[in-house]
Amino acid sequence: MTDLRAENTSRRTVVKAAAAASAALIPLAAVPAAAARTGPAFLHGVASGDPLPDGVLLWTRVTPVPEALPGSGLGADTEVGWEVAEDRAFERVVASGTTTARPSADHTVKADVRGLRPATDYFFRFSAAGAASPVGRTRTAPAPEEAVADLRFGVLSCANWEAGWFSPYRHLAARADLDAVLHLGDYIYEYRSGEYPAEKYVVRPHSPAHEVTTLADYRLRHGTYKTDADLQALHAAHPVIAMWDDHEFANDTWSGGAENHSPESEGEWADRVAAAKQAYFEWMPVRTSTEGTTYRRLRFGVLAELHLLDLRSFRSRQSTIGSGDVDDPNRTITGRAQLDWLKEGLAGSAAGWKLVGTSVMVSPVAFGSVPAHLLGPLGELLGLPTGGLAVNVDQWDGYTADRRELLDHLRDRSVENTVFLAGDIHMAWANDVPQTAATYPGSPSAATEFVVTSVTSDNLDDILRVPPQTVSLLATTAVRAANRHVRWVDMDSHGYGVLSVSAERAQMDYYTVSAKDDPDATARWARSYLTRSGTQRLERTDRPVR
């Protein structure tokens, strides 16, 4: 397992009534920008993450003076206090301490708090020179030996600031029944303003306006995201377990470069990666890794263990379509050490459910039967060339040797109840993961997979500029006909998932929002699929768990 080093350490002024369920417990009012005129202010909210049975990581960012904008390097060292309490009035404080916000860390601070009780709600806050942060709620994980009756996780992916408002965050913040929220990557996007989506479709311009490539750029982009009221609400309401995908760096990142990186005009790739990772660890409630990676495990009692993968730091370059090397055993999406770590962890886990956060889809998908006029838009979503082919080389489809080794390992070691959780492709899927796709369902399923759609990033109807659930129905019918292990796919909706786990089953409830360009968008339940313990297959169910 990756060795993690513990660290010591306005669209709306108030979150709307849609988050009132959490606001009743937590004051989520954003600090007015004017507060920075007289001293330190907490303009980017508070967050917690990576819950353990005895602790949790706390995060905030201090603006010591108005000119100390993210990435500016301005502002003096500032002492910051933190408190954790059993009640929101902070009458029963159980832990406290101080740390220092420094320009070398962009005035972000973390406190890795330990000594807490398992499976317990806590409240936390920060202070600096008389200024108080908003109050956040967090929750510790159950003890490893605890017989947990059920767990519930929000699941998200792909939030493009320019493409829309972050209503899915608000709706998850309003839920009081979540143990944590899992963000599967593309938390930020690196593009210049007006590149994706095109300028005429930009809902709100991001900052900086140019493509982010330097440490200052990545810091400012992260800081811009964390001014969003709905994002602040999410972080203040639940611990967030985050992993990166490609857009935290650049499109289609691999270990030695990216599709969206030019050494001639943007410098050395290693320098850009170092800058992106530094900003990520500064701005996200994630424990900093000594190896500069995010792969790690989190245990939730005897019921579930979550294995989070870093599928960008170690992967081989994506295959050139038509080269025939997708099956090359020397090519990898995980890297040797990480794949061995995952295999060992899955086979040795005593948890009832093995959840694997994989950022990109594991299940194989063929697109040869998709109508010709849809191949181009689907290719744009899936990273395929114009005209389309039967493989998405940025997913596990482009690294079949790693996938085969992993699925064979699940079969050979009789590992049951593995559930892959993915995002990345701006569509919702519910899949069996076949041992051999060509003969499925006559051959076994090795695992199951839930893929969540995007928070705002363009999906098929957005690219085609057509009403949802119209043209896409032709593509979904063709995809399902060519891929019998695909139980369901929605190519148009934006939203989130809620994964519920009990001893008997793991169920994903898919929720969609009414419109990504409406800051007041409503949410509705769309569909649910579950896998029963020991089956490795999905079935549809007609209602959400809650």
Side-chain angles (χ1 to χ4, degrees), residues 164-185:
W165 301 100
F166 293 163
S167 300
Y169 292 154
R170 182 176 74 253
H171 291 292
L172 278 177
R175 293 188 66 126
D177 60 341
L178 302 181
D179 291 275
V181 170
L182 176 61
H183 201 294
L184 293 168

PDB file of all heavy atoms in Angstrom, residues 164-185:
ATOM      1  N   GLY A 164     -21.314  24.596 -16.739  1.00  0.00           N
ATOM      2  CA  GLY A 164     -22.570  24.669 -16.003  1.00  0.00           C
ATOM      3  C   GLY A 164     -22.381  24.893 -14.526  1.00  0.00           C
ATOM      4  O   GLY A 164     -21.272  25.083 -14.021  1.00  0.00           O
ATOM      5  N   TRP A 165     -23.501  24.857 -13.809  1.00  0.00           N
ATOM      6  CA  TRP A 165     -23.523  25.052 -12.360  1.00  0.00           C
ATOM      7  C   TRP A 165     -23.438  23.706 -11.652  1.00  0.00           C
ATOM      8  O   TRP A 165     -23.864  22.686 -12.184  1.00  0.00           O
ATOM      9  CB  TRP A 165     -24.798  25.786 -11.933  1.00  0.00           C
ATOM     10  CG  TRP A 165     -24.942  27.124 -12.580  1.00  0.00           C
ATOM     11  CD1 TRP A 165     -25.715  27.438 -13.659  1.00  0.00           C
ATOM     12  CD2 TRP A 165     -24.275  28.326 -12.205  1.00  0.00           C
ATOM     13  NE1 TRP A 165     -25.582  28.756 -13.981  1.00  0.00           N
ATOM     14  CE2 TRP A 165     -24.699  29.338 -13.105  1.00  0.00           C
ATOM     15  CE3 TRP A 165     -23.362  28.658 -11.206  1.00  0.00           C
ATOM     16  CZ2 TRP A 165     -24.247  30.652 -13.029  1.00  0.00           C
ATOM     17  CZ3 TRP A 165     -22.909  29.965 -11.122  1.00  0.00           C
ATOM     18  CH2 TRP A 165     -23.350  30.942 -12.020  1.00  0.00           C
ATOM     19  N   PHE A 166     -22.915  23.729 -10.447  1.00  0.00           N
ATOM     20  CA  PHE A 166     -22.622  22.494  -9.724  1.00  0.00           C
ATOM     21  C   PHE A 166     -23.782  22.041  -8.831  1.00  0.00           C
ATOM     22  O   PHE A 166     -23.609  21.684  -7.672  1.00  0.00           O
ATOM     23  CB  PHE A 166     -21.361  22.677  -8.882  1.00  0.00           C
ATOM     24  CG  PHE A 166     -20.093  22.846  -9.676  1.00  0.00           C
ATOM     25  CD1 PHE A 166     -18.950  23.359  -9.081  1.00  0.00           C
ATOM     26  CD2 PHE A 166     -20.029  22.488 -11.016  1.00  0.00           C
ATOM     27  CE1 PHE A 166     -17.764  23.517  -9.797  1.00  0.00           C
ATOM     28  CE2 PHE A 166     -18.853  22.633 -11.751  1.00  0.00           C
ATOM     29  CZ  PHE A 166     -17.718  23.157 -11.135  1.00  0.00           C
ATOM     30  N   SER A 167     -24.980  22.018  -9.400  1.00  0.00           N
ATOM     31  CA  SER A 167     -26.163  21.614  -8.627  1.00  0.00           C
ATOM     32  C   SER A 167     -26.056  20.217  -8.025  1.00  0.00           C
ATOM     33  O   SER A 167     -26.549  19.997  -6.909  1.00  0.00           O
ATOM     34  CB  SER A 167     -27.419  21.706  -9.497  1.00  0.00           C
ATOM     35  OG  SER A 167     -27.623  23.024  -9.951  1.00  0.00           O
ATOM     36  N   PRO A 168     -25.445  19.230  -8.693  1.00  0.00           N
ATOM     37  CA  PRO A 168     -25.314  17.918  -8.049  1.00  0.00           C
ATOM     38  C   PRO A 168     -24.619  17.991  -6.693  1.00  0.00           C
ATOM     39  O   PRO A 168     -24.968  17.231  -5.778  1.00  0.00           O
ATOM     40  CB  PRO A 168     -24.498  17.111  -9.065  1.00  0.00           C
ATOM     41  CG  PRO A 168     -24.889  17.694 -10.386  1.00  0.00           C
ATOM     42  CD  PRO A 168     -24.995  19.169 -10.119  1.00  0.00           C
ATOM     43  N   TYR A 169     -23.664  18.887  -6.557  1.00  0.00           N
ATOM     44  CA  TYR A 169     -23.004  19.039  -5.259  1.00  0.00           C
ATOM     45  C   TYR A 169     -23.995  19.507  -4.202  1.00  0.00           C
ATOM     46  O   TYR A 169     -23.989  19.047  -3.060  1.00  0.00           O
ATOM     47  CB  TYR A 169     -21.859  20.055  -5.361  1.00  0.00           C
ATOM     48  CG  TYR A 169     -20.676  19.626  -6.188  1.00  0.00           C
ATOM     49  CD1 TYR A 169     -19.859  20.577  -6.786  1.00  0.00           C
ATOM     50  CD2 TYR A 169     -20.360  18.284  -6.377  1.00  0.00           C
ATOM     51  CE1 TYR A 169     -18.749  20.205  -7.537  1.00  0.00           C
ATOM     52  CE2 TYR A 169     -19.261  17.903  -7.132  1.00  0.00           C
ATOM     53  CZ  TYR A 169     -18.455  18.869  -7.703  1.00  0.00           C
ATOM     54  OH  TYR A 169     -17.360  18.505  -8.438  1.00  0.00           O
ATOM     55  N   ARG A 170     -24.854  20.457  -4.580  1.00  0.00           N
ATOM     56  CA  ARG A 170     -25.828  20.978  -3.620  1.00  0.00           C
ATOM     57  C   ARG A 170     -26.787  19.885  -3.162  1.00  0.00           C
ATOM     58  O   ARG A 170     -27.112  19.783  -1.974  1.00  0.00           O
ATOM     59  CB  ARG A 170     -26.611  22.135  -4.243  1.00  0.00           C
ATOM     60  CG  ARG A 170     -27.637  22.759  -3.264  1.00  0.00           C
ATOM     61  CD  ARG A 170     -28.345  23.962  -3.862  1.00  0.00           C
ATOM     62  NE  ARG A 170     -29.331  23.593  -4.867  1.00  0.00           N
ATOM     63  CZ  ARG A 170     -29.192  23.772  -6.163  1.00  0.00           C
ATOM     64  NH1 ARG A 170     -28.080  24.267  -6.656  1.00  0.00           N
ATOM     65  NH2 ARG A 170     -30.160  23.445  -7.003  1.00  0.00           N
ATOM     66  N   HIS A 171     -27.233  19.065  -4.108  1.00  0.00           N
ATOM     67  CA  HIS A 171     -28.202  18.028  -3.749  1.00  0.00           C
ATOM     68  C   HIS A 171     -27.574  16.941  -2.873  1.00  0.00           C
ATOM     69  O   HIS A 171     -28.240  16.418  -1.970  1.00  0.00           O
ATOM     70  CB  HIS A 171     -28.821  17.448  -5.013  1.00  0.00           C
ATOM     71  CG  HIS A 171     -29.716  18.416  -5.725  1.00  0.00           C
ATOM     72  ND1 HIS A 171     -30.920  18.845  -5.200  1.00  0.00           N
ATOM     73  CD2 HIS A 171     -29.564  19.083  -6.903  1.00  0.00           C
ATOM     74  CE1 HIS A 171     -31.485  19.711  -6.028  1.00  0.00           C
ATOM     75  NE2 HIS A 171     -30.680  19.875  -7.062  1.00  0.00           N
ATOM     76  N   LEU A 172     -26.318  16.607  -3.109  1.00  0.00           N
ATOM     77  CA  LEU A 172     -25.654  15.655  -2.211  1.00  0.00           C
ATOM     78  C   LEU A 172     -25.383  16.284  -0.853  1.00  0.00           C
ATOM     79  O   LEU A 172     -25.450  15.601   0.173  1.00  0.00           O
ATOM     80  CB  LEU A 172     -24.355  15.162  -2.838  1.00  0.00           C
ATOM     81  CG  LEU A 172     -24.484  14.036  -3.860  1.00  0.00           C
ATOM     82  CD1 LEU A 172     -23.131  13.686  -4.451  1.00  0.00           C
ATOM     83  CD2 LEU A 172     -25.116  12.786  -3.240  1.00  0.00           C
ATOM     84  N   ALA A 173     -25.065  17.572  -0.826  1.00  0.00           N
ATOM     85  CA  ALA A 173     -24.848  18.246   0.458  1.00  0.00           C
ATOM     86  C   ALA A 173     -26.090  18.210   1.330  1.00  0.00           C
ATOM     87  O   ALA A 173     -26.001  18.167   2.560  1.00  0.00           O
ATOM     88  CB  ALA A 173     -24.422  19.702   0.221  1.00  0.00           C
ATOM     89  N   ALA A 174     -27.252  18.217   0.690  1.00  0.00           N
ATOM     90  CA  ALA A 174     -28.506  18.246   1.440  1.00  0.00           C
ATOM     91  C   ALA A 174     -28.887  16.901   2.044  1.00  0.00           C
ATOM     92  O   ALA A 174     -29.793  16.830   2.871  1.00  0.00           O
ATOM     93  CB  ALA A 174     -29.647  18.724   0.528  1.00  0.00           C
ATOM     94  N   ARG A 175     -28.198  15.835   1.650  1.00  0.00           N
ATOM     95  CA  ARG A 175     -28.516  14.508   2.190  1.00  0.00           C
ATOM     96  C   ARG A 175     -27.824  14.326   3.532  1.00  0.00           C
ATOM     97  O   ARG A 175     -26.632  14.597   3.678  1.00  0.00           O
ATOM     98  CB  ARG A 175     -28.080  13.413   1.218  1.00  0.00           C
ATOM     99  CG  ARG A 175     -28.875  13.391  -0.079  1.00  0.00           C
ATOM    100  CD  ARG A 175     -28.524  12.176  -0.909  1.00  0.00           C
ATOM    101  NE  ARG A 175     -28.939  10.938  -0.280  1.00  0.00           N
ATOM    102  CZ  ARG A 175     -29.693  10.008  -0.847  1.00  0.00           C
ATOM    103  NH1 ARG A 175     -30.149  10.191  -2.081  1.00  0.00           N
ATOM    104  NH2 ARG A 175     -30.002   8.891  -0.219  1.00  0.00           N
ATOM    105  N   ALA A 176     -28.580  13.820   4.481  1.00  0.00           N
ATOM    106  CA  ALA A 176     -28.037  13.587   5.822  1.00  0.00           C
ATOM    107  C   ALA A 176     -27.656  12.135   6.058  1.00  0.00           C
ATOM    108  O   ALA A 176     -27.273  11.780   7.175  1.00  0.00           O
ATOM    109  CB  ALA A 176     -29.059  14.034   6.872  1.00  0.00           C
ATOM    110  N   ASP A 177     -27.738  11.301   5.008  1.00  0.00           N
ATOM    111  CA  ASP A 177     -27.561   9.852   5.204  1.00  0.00           C
ATOM    112  C   ASP A 177     -26.271   9.315   4.606  1.00  0.00           C
ATOM    113  O   ASP A 177     -26.109   8.098   4.478  1.00  0.00           O
ATOM    114  CB  ASP A 177     -28.747   9.093   4.607  1.00  0.00           C
ATOM    115  CG  ASP A 177     -28.903   9.329   3.102  1.00  0.00           C
ATOM    116  OD1 ASP A 177     -28.344  10.324   2.597  1.00  0.00           O
ATOM    117  OD2 ASP A 177     -29.572   8.522   2.436  1.00  0.00           O
ATOM    118  N   LEU A 178     -25.323  10.177   4.241  1.00  0.00           N
ATOM    119  CA  LEU A 178     -24.104   9.726   3.589  1.00  0.00           C
ATOM    120  C   LEU A 178     -22.959   9.556   4.579  1.00  0.00           C
ATOM    121  O   LEU A 178     -22.748  10.399   5.458  1.00  0.00           O
ATOM    122  CB  LEU A 178     -23.680  10.721   2.503  1.00  0.00           C
ATOM    123  CG  LEU A 178     -24.693  10.997   1.392  1.00  0.00           C
ATOM    124  CD1 LEU A 178     -24.105  11.983   0.382  1.00  0.00           C
ATOM    125  CD2 LEU A 178     -25.131   9.716   0.699  1.00  0.00           C
ATOM    126  N   ASP A 179     -22.206   8.480   4.401  1.00  0.00           N
ATOM    127  CA  ASP A 179     -21.003   8.280   5.195  1.00  0.00           C
ATOM    128  C   ASP A 179     -19.833   9.069   4.623  1.00  0.00           C
ATOM    129  O   ASP A 179     -18.951   9.507   5.365  1.00  0.00           O
ATOM    130  CB  ASP A 179     -20.647   6.797   5.246  1.00  0.00           C
ATOM    131  CG  ASP A 179     -21.659   6.003   6.048  1.00  0.00           C
ATOM    132  OD1 ASP A 179     -21.510   5.957   7.278  1.00  0.00           O
ATOM    133  OD2 ASP A 179     -22.597   5.449   5.456  1.00  0.00           O
ATOM    134  N   ALA A 180     -19.814   9.247   3.318  1.00  0.00           N
ATOM    135  CA  ALA A 180     -18.767  10.008   2.645  1.00  0.00           C
ATOM    136  C   ALA A 180     -19.195  10.217   1.204  1.00  0.00           C
ATOM    137  O   ALA A 180     -20.171   9.620   0.729  1.00  0.00           O
ATOM    138  CB  ALA A 180     -17.417   9.283   2.705  1.00  0.00           C
ATOM    139  N   VAL A 181     -18.458  11.071   0.504  1.00  0.00           N
ATOM    140  CA  VAL A 181     -18.661  11.296  -0.926  1.00  0.00           C
ATOM    141  C   VAL A 181     -17.378  10.913  -1.644  1.00  0.00           C
ATOM    142  O   VAL A 181     -16.279  11.312  -1.238  1.00  0.00           O
ATOM    143  CB  VAL A 181     -19.031  12.761  -1.214  1.00  0.00           C
ATOM    144  CG1 VAL A 181     -18.989  13.048  -2.713  1.00  0.00           C
ATOM    145  CG2 VAL A 181     -20.405  13.086  -0.648  1.00  0.00           C
ATOM    146  N   LEU A 182     -17.517  10.136  -2.716  1.00  0.00           N
ATOM    147  CA  LEU A 182     -16.381   9.712  -3.519  1.00  0.00           C
ATOM    148  C   LEU A 182     -16.362  10.525  -4.810  1.00  0.00           C
ATOM    149  O   LEU A 182     -17.309  10.474  -5.596  1.00  0.00           O
ATOM    150  CB  LEU A 182     -16.495   8.217  -3.836  1.00  0.00           C
ATOM    151  CG  LEU A 182     -15.428   7.612  -4.748  1.00  0.00           C
ATOM    152  CD1 LEU A 182     -14.045   7.748  -4.131  1.00  0.00           C
ATOM    153  CD2 LEU A 182     -15.750   6.144  -5.031  1.00  0.00           C
ATOM    154  N   HIS A 183     -15.284  11.289  -5.012  1.00  0.00           N
ATOM    155  CA  HIS A 183     -15.127  12.042  -6.255  1.00  0.00           C
ATOM    156  C   HIS A 183     -14.105  11.303  -7.113  1.00  0.00           C
ATOM    157  O   HIS A 183     -12.940  11.171  -6.748  1.00  0.00           O
ATOM    158  CB  HIS A 183     -14.665  13.467  -5.992  1.00  0.00           C
ATOM    159  CG  HIS A 183     -14.964  14.390  -7.135  1.00  0.00           C
ATOM    160  ND1 HIS A 183     -14.366  14.252  -8.376  1.00  0.00           N
ATOM    161  CD2 HIS A 183     -15.821  15.451  -7.247  1.00  0.00           C
ATOM    162  CE1 HIS A 183     -14.834  15.190  -9.191  1.00  0.00           C
ATOM    163  NE2 HIS A 183     -15.715  15.923  -8.544  1.00  0.00           N
ATOM    164  N   LEU A 184     -14.543  10.831  -8.287  1.00  0.00           N
ATOM    165  CA  LEU A 184     -13.756   9.923  -9.109  1.00  0.00           C
ATOM    166  C   LEU A 184     -12.836  10.623 -10.102  1.00  0.00           C
ATOM    167  O   LEU A 184     -12.238   9.970 -10.951  1.00  0.00           O
ATOM    168  CB  LEU A 184     -14.688   8.973  -9.854  1.00  0.00           C
ATOM    169  CG  LEU A 184     -15.444   7.988  -8.958  1.00  0.00           C
ATOM    170  CD1 LEU A 184     -16.551   7.298  -9.743  1.00  0.00           C
ATOM    171  CD2 LEU A 184     -14.500   6.952  -8.370  1.00  0.00           C
ATOM    172  N   GLY A 185     -12.703  11.933 -10.005  1.00  0.00           N
ATOM    173  CA  GLY A 185     -11.740  12.620 -10.842  1.00  0.00           C
ATOM    174  C   GLY A 185     -12.343  13.649 -11.768  1.00  0.00           C
ATOM    175  O   GLY A 185     -13.554  13.776 -11.912  1.00  0.00           O
TER     176      GLY A 185
END
